[in-house]
């Protein structure tokens, strides 16, 4: 079989294709013939050595999640059988960029018959988005959520799922092309944050009220400036901090606007690491939405294993909308 590996941390050039024997599943494990794998920000973080829980593990076989067909099962496996299409999410070990992969039974979830395996391969973003709406924020009841830089994989999921949770969605992107994409997904209000001031745009879209929820992927030194367009009793929810740590004194900014009673929350999907039943329920709901056509991931491009360096160059550039996929 062919698999992708890197022996040192760095840019897309460290990724290479190698031959390896097809493994056999042991007790409690499943052998998957991979159909597709998501190419996402965590893969970048692993490739560059930025993820603490994968740093120092070399050689490393990337690919955090994807879909595959069960080729064989080890002793004791009962939840899946040969021929089932399954979703696999295998943190730390990863390996979904391989033609065949071994995974513990607990890391695979059977998908509904007829599901497109390419769409299924990027479902983690939708499970995260649904977790944000159901576990953290609760029913929207007409409230407004704003997300900057929403044209990526997670943002696309948030924009599509916000109406399903009862939210009105305001979204922004870095280019007019990406803004057009967000409008095609059904965002209620869209603007280019490089051309329009965020505070003015969000307040205009909410008739001066401000966004009830601001979903912040960046944090960084300008984090507290968002409080100027957060609604009274609103919530600033930080998921990721791609801009680095906040160091401008968020506490002082909160005190200055005390009359508005802003709320600051942080969230990581690792909240569900020790909650297998909650995670199983989330996946079941999202996979059902996919099967019913309520959500439809946008695949910007599907790459072959031989094109993996090109795929990661696109990932690093951010010059895409929706999701990138490795297709076998």
């Amino acid at each position: 079989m062919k698999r992708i590996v890197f022996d040192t941390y760095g840019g897309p050039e460290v990724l290479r294709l190698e031959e390896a024997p097809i493994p056999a599943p042991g007790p409690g494990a499943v052998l998957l013939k991979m159909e597709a794998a998501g190419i996402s920000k965590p893969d970048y973080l692993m490739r560059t050595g930025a993820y603490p829980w994968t740093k120092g593990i070399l050689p490393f076989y990337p690919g955090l999640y994807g879909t595959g067909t069960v080729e064989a099962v080890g002793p004791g496996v009962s939840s899946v059988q040969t021929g089932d299409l399954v979703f696999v999410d295998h943190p730390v070990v990863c390996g979904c960029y391989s033609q065949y992969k071994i995974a513990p039974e607990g890391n695979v979830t059977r998908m509904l018959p007829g599901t497109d395996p390419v769409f299924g391969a990027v479902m983690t973003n939708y499970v995260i988005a649904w977790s944000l709406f159901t576990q953290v924020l609760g029913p929207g009841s007409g409230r407004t959520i704003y997300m900057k830089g929403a044209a990526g994989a997670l943002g696309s999921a948030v924009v599509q799922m916000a109406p399903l949770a009862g939210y009105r969605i305001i979204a922004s992107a870095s280019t007019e092309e990406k803004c057009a994409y967000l409008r095609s997904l059904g965002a209620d209000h869209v603007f280019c944050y490089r051309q329009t001031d965020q505070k003015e745009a969000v307040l205009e879209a909410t008739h001066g009220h401000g966004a009830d929820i601001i979903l912040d992927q960046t944090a960084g030194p300008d984090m507290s400036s968002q409080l100027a367009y957060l609604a009274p009793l609103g919530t600033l929810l930080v998921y990721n901090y791609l801009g680095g740590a906040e160091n401008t004194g968020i506490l002082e900014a909160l005190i200055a606007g005390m009359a508005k009673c802003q709320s600051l929350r942080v969230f990581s999907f690792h909240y569900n690491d020790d909650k297998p039943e909650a995670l199983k329920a989330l996946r079941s709901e999202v996979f059902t939405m996919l099967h019913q056509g309520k959500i439809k991931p946008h695949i910007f491009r599907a790459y072959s294993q031989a094109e993996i360096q090109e795929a990661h160059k696109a990932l690093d550039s951010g010059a895409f909308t929706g999701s990138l996929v490795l297709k076998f």
Side-chain angles (χ1 to χ4, degrees), residues 90 163 256 275 296-297:
H90 201 180
K275 301 173 181 62
K296 185 176 181 180

Side-chain angles (χ1 to χ4, degrees), residues 174-196:
S174 59
T175 67
E176 285 299 333
E177 181 182 12
K178 290 183 177 180
C179 286
Y181 164 70
L182 291 171
R183 292 185 187 98
S184 75
L185 293 183
D188 296 284
H189 186 86
V190 179
F191 66 93
C192 178
Y193 62 77
R194 288 181 176 170
Q195 298 176 7
T196 306

Side-chain angles (χ1 to χ4, degrees), residues 67-155:
T67 52
T69 301
V70 177
E71 185 83 359
V73 299
V77 172
S78 60
S79 64
V80 295
Q81 58 186 1
T82 303
D84 284 346
L85 177 68
V86 300
F87 172 83
V88 56
D89 186 348
H90 201 180
V92 184
V93 176
C94 297
C96 289
Y97 285 7
S98 303
Q99 286 181 316
Y100 289 87
K101 171 179 170 50
I102 295 288
E105 180 182 11
N107 290 89
V108 301
T109 305
R110 186 164 50 189
M111 304 198 74
L112 295 168
T115 300
D116 187 325
V118 173
F119 287 167
V122 298
M123 276 298 96
T124 287
N125 295 300
Y126 288 82
V127 176
I128 291 171
W130 199 239
S131 173
L132 287 169
F133 287 127
T134 59
Q135 292 182 306
V136 183
L137 299 174
S141 303
R143 289 184 294 167
T144 300
I145 186 169
Y146 168 59
M147 184 175 186
K148 177 185 177 183
L154 178 61

Side-chain angles (χ1 to χ4, degrees), residues 87-323:
F87 172 83
V88 56
D89 186 348
H90 201 180
V92 184
V93 176
C94 297
C96 289
Y97 285 7
S98 303
Q99 286 181 316
Y100 289 87
K101 171 179 170 50
I102 295 288
E105 180 182 11
N107 290 89
V108 301
T109 305
R110 186 164 50 189
M111 304 198 74
L112 295 168
T115 300
D116 187 325
V118 173
F119 287 167
V122 298
M123 276 298 96
T124 287
N125 295 300
Y126 288 82
V127 176
I128 291 171
W130 199 239
S131 173
L132 287 169
F133 287 127
T134 59
Q135 292 182 306
V136 183
L137 299 174
S141 303
R143 289 184 294 167
T144 300
I145 186 169
Y146 168 59
M147 184 175 186
K148 177 185 177 183
L154 178 61
S156 298
V158 168
V159 171
Q160 286 190 53
M161 301 186 94
L164 300 176
Y167 288 88
R168 179 172 175 264
I169 181 76
I170 302 171
S172 68
S174 59
T175 67
E176 285 299 333
E177 181 182 12
K178 290 183 177 180
C179 286
Y181 164 70
L182 291 171
R183 292 185 187 98
S184 75
L185 293 183
D188 296 284
H189 186 86
V190 179
F191 66 93
C192 178
Y193 62 77
R194 288 181 176 170
Q195 298 176 7
T196 306
D197 180 77
Q198 289 185 91
K199 177 182 175 181
E200 292 180 4
V202 173
L203 290 177
E204 180 182 357
T206 58
H207 307 289
H209 181 71
D212 297 300
I213 310 293
I214 296 177
L215 181 57
D216 182 6
Q217 304 182 85
T218 305
D222 296 325
M223 178 178 164
S224 61
S225 66
Q226 299 171 101
L227 300 178
Y229 45 93
L230 183 68
L233 304 180
T235 298
L236 174 59
L237 178 61
V238 180
Y239 177 79
N240 282 334
Y241 45 101
L242 303 178
E246 185 282 326
N247 57 7
T248 59
I250 191 74
L251 181 60
E252 288 80 1
L254 286 168
I255 292 172
M258 190 180 296
K260 295 175 69 177
C261 299
Q262 299 102 338
S263 173
L264 173 65
R265 297 189 67 176
V266 294
F267 176 72
S268 167
F269 194 60
H270 292 297
Y271 168 79
N272 289 294
D273 285 353
D274 61 350
K275 301 173 181 62
E277 291 306 314
L279 185 55
K280 181 179 178 180
L282 281 169
R283 286 176 175 160
S284 178
E285 288 183 68
V286 173
F287 292 165
T288 299
M289 291 179 195
L290 175 66
H291 187 71
Q292 293 174 342
K294 292 181 179 180
I295 53 176
K296 185 176 181 180
H298 170 68
I299 307 300
F300 184 78
R301 181 175 168 185
Y303 296 85
S304 68
Q305 282 183 306
E307 298 172 310
I308 193 60
Q309 291 188 7
E310 183 180 352
H312 271 243
K313 288 177 182 177
L315 176 66
D316 289 7
S317 75
F320 61 93
T321 54
S323 299

Side-chain angles (χ1 to χ4, degrees), residues 2-55:
K2 291 184 172 68
R3 64 185 180 184
I4 305 297
V5 62
F6 60 83
D7 304 290
T8 185
Y9 301 112
E13 70 279 358
V14 303
L15 299 166
R16 63 181 178 85
L17 194 60
E18 71 173 15
E19 290 282 349
I22 298 175
V30 177
L31 173 65
L32 304 178
K33 184 177 186 295
M34 295 301 295
E35 302 286 346
I39 300 172
S40 62
K41 194 69 174 181
D43 295 326
Y44 161 80
L45 296 172
M46 294 175 203
R47 194 198 73 220
T48 57
Y51 252 152
W53 46 275
T54 56
K55 191 170 180 61

